[in-house]
Amino acid sequence: MTEVSHGAQPLELGNANATAVTGTGTSEQWLARYSNSLMGVFGNPQRVLVRGAGALVWDADGKEYLDLLGGIAVNALGHAHPFVTSVIASQLSTLGHVSNFFTSPTQIALAEKLLELSQAPAGSKVFFANSGTEANEAAFKLARVHGGKERPTILALEGAFHGRTMGALAMTAKQAYREPFEPMPAGVRHLPFNDIEALREALDDSVAALVIEPIQGEAGVRPLSAEYLKAARELTREHGALLILDEVQTGIGRTGDWFAGIAAGIIPDAMTLAKGLGGGFPIGAIITFGEGPSTKLSAGQHGTTFGGNPVATAAALATLHVLESANVLANVRTVSDIFAQGLGKLDGVTEVRAFGLLIGVELAEPVAAGVLAAALEAGFIINAPRPTTIRLAPPLNLTAEQAQSFIAAFPELLATALAAHSSEGNS
Ligand SMILES: *Cc1c(COP(=O)(O)O)cnc(C)c1O
């Protein structure tokens, strides 16, 4: 008999918690095992997390953190929300997976709910996937069937992030993500950000679709102007191209509205969702608006095994129910203002771009990575998408007091980062 090594502990089944199947260890021990067993695509993980409750998480050494990143805009209601977890557990113990040869009440109810929240017109439809990139793959295929051979071009923007699978990657702008995997699926062109004239020039009758994020999250929380969104809608309509909004990060209440583009008065032809939708459970979706776009993909042209399963759709329904019934979007706006005002007046902060609880904090010096490191030491989880930019995307039910605790700590985090920066010989 072969022995299982890799440091695995003997299983004690019948004890229904994670440590029964994982064993225990210190962060250092886990990280050694991580680097021996997991592919290096994410670099070194910052911490080994074992437990969460609301906006708090704990690492394997028992240290507590205030999670101001929320799993990158995913944990809409924080960690282990009691209603969401109980709905997931009860759905899983009733009916967990059925394949798309079948449907389930939760799948249908969630599609109806998303159509209602997005104020989608008659004839609008939903397709469920498991992630943001998959939702965008569906968008890519929608653009292809819409365009056919005559309209091979898909327009996206510089700075765009749409995911890591090949179609979504082709629409993603960052050269370092794309180059090792070229040739990309053909036809995608990237236009300058927020440049209406460039859009006007590029939009001709060879264009199948324009794919945009109303606010670019990975690029450091960069909003398109209301004028650009309006022009995008008018110009695509004029030329018979689809307008596809990627609201994977901005959707589901993140900005204080259900959807940033819809709130700006834009009715797209399609909109993709994922991150916050399942409250931490993986799910993605594309909504097509109106008859035209909704009938483009026909039976057999697209599919998924896991997408829209009863558990994921129940998780999303539970998340939407809490966001609505507890009036969480009002909290998003209140706490957003607290961050904007509190961080905006600090020395060393040049700008705060706060769209609900998607917040970019611009620093005078390129010390975002140092601030992130100091924040972790001080018990805060944040993100540094660019050398001068901090991004926050905390749970939407973050309290005012939790926001204040970070604002109060920020000057010292920045001072620590600046000191480390100048001792490295930079100035
Ligand atoms: C995160 C993100 C994606 C990709 O989602 P995954 O679930 O990581 O595949 C796509 N678009 C936007 C705008 C995102 O923020």
Side-chain angles (χ1 to χ4, degrees), residues 246-295:
D246 179 347
E247 294 235 19
V248 167
Q249 187 155 164
T250 51
I252 314 296
R254 175 57 51 190
T255 63
D257 290 298
W258 284 109
F259 309 101
I262 309 280
I266 304 301
I267 301 171
D269 298 297
M271 173 166 76
T272 56
L273 302 171
K275 290 197 164 88
L277 177 56
F281 203 90
I283 182 169
I286 180 166
I287 305 176
T288 47
F289 287 70
E291 287 283 339
S294 299
T295 51

Side-chain angles (χ1 to χ4, degrees), residues 122-271:
S124 300
K125 296 283 168 63
V126 179
F127 172 84
F128 289 117
N130 307 288
S131 64
T133 202
E134 278 177 81
N136 286 329
E137 290 297 322
F140 197 107
K141 286 175 77 173
L142 181 74
R144 279 282 197 261
V145 292
H146 173 69
K149 301 275 182 288
E150 284 75 56
R151 293 171 169 268
T153 306
I154 295 173
L155 300 176
L157 297 186
E158 285 169 5
F161 183 81
H162 296 296
R164 304 289 204 140
T165 54
M166 290 304 286
L169 187 59
M171 302 190 290
T172 292
K174 196 166 171 175
Q175 203 46 29
Y177 292 171
R178 302 158 50 91
E179 207 179 81
F181 309 103
E182 286 173 348
M184 288 288 116
V188 180
R189 250 188 84 191
H190 288 93
L191 302 179
F193 185 77
N194 213 24
D195 183 337
I196 295 176
E197 269 324 298
L199 180 62
R200 197 186 303 282
E201 260 170 52
L203 253 171
D204 57 26
D205 297 345
S206 77
V207 176
L210 168 68
V211 182
I212 52 179
E213 300 154 86
I215 302 161
Q216 290 186 338
E218 300 306 299
V221 189
R222 258 198 330 173
L224 285 169
S225 66
E227 297 75 48
Y228 188 92
L229 290 172
K230 193 160 167 278
R233 177 63 288 182
E234 285 167 4
L235 290 168
T236 47
R237 186 171 286 140
E238 211 172 285
H239 289 278
L242 300 177
L243 174 63
I244 300 175
L245 296 182
D246 179 347
E247 294 235 19
V248 167
Q249 187 155 164
T250 51
I252 314 296
R254 175 57 51 190
T255 63
D257 290 298
W258 284 109
F259 309 101
I262 309 280
I266 304 301
I267 301 171
D269 298 297
M271 173 166 76

Side-chain angles (χ1 to χ4, degrees), residues 10 31-32 79 88 102 139 144 156 160-162 174 183 185 208 225 232 292 298 312 328 361 370 392 409 423:
L31 287 172
H79 299 271
I88 290 171
F102 304 92
R144 279 282 197 261
F161 183 81
H162 296 296
K174 196 166 171 175
S225 66
S298 55
V328 174
V361 183
L392 307 178
S423 78

Side-chain angles (χ1 to χ4, degrees), residues 53-56 65-70 75-79 254 323 328 330-336 338-339 356-357 359 380-381 392-407:
L56 300 177
Y65 302 85
L66 181 63
D67 184 0
L68 297 174
L69 186 56
N75 297 100
L77 295 167
H79 299 271
R254 175 57 51 190
L323 290 175
V328 174
N331 183 67
V332 170
R333 293 190 281 262
T334 304
V335 178
S336 178
I338 291 170
F339 274 120
L357 288 176
I359 299 171
F380 297 99
I381 293 175
L392 307 178
L396 304 182
N397 56 0
L398 193 81
T399 65
E401 293 70 33
Q402 288 168 328
Q404 295 290 6
S405 73
F406 179 68
I407 295 163

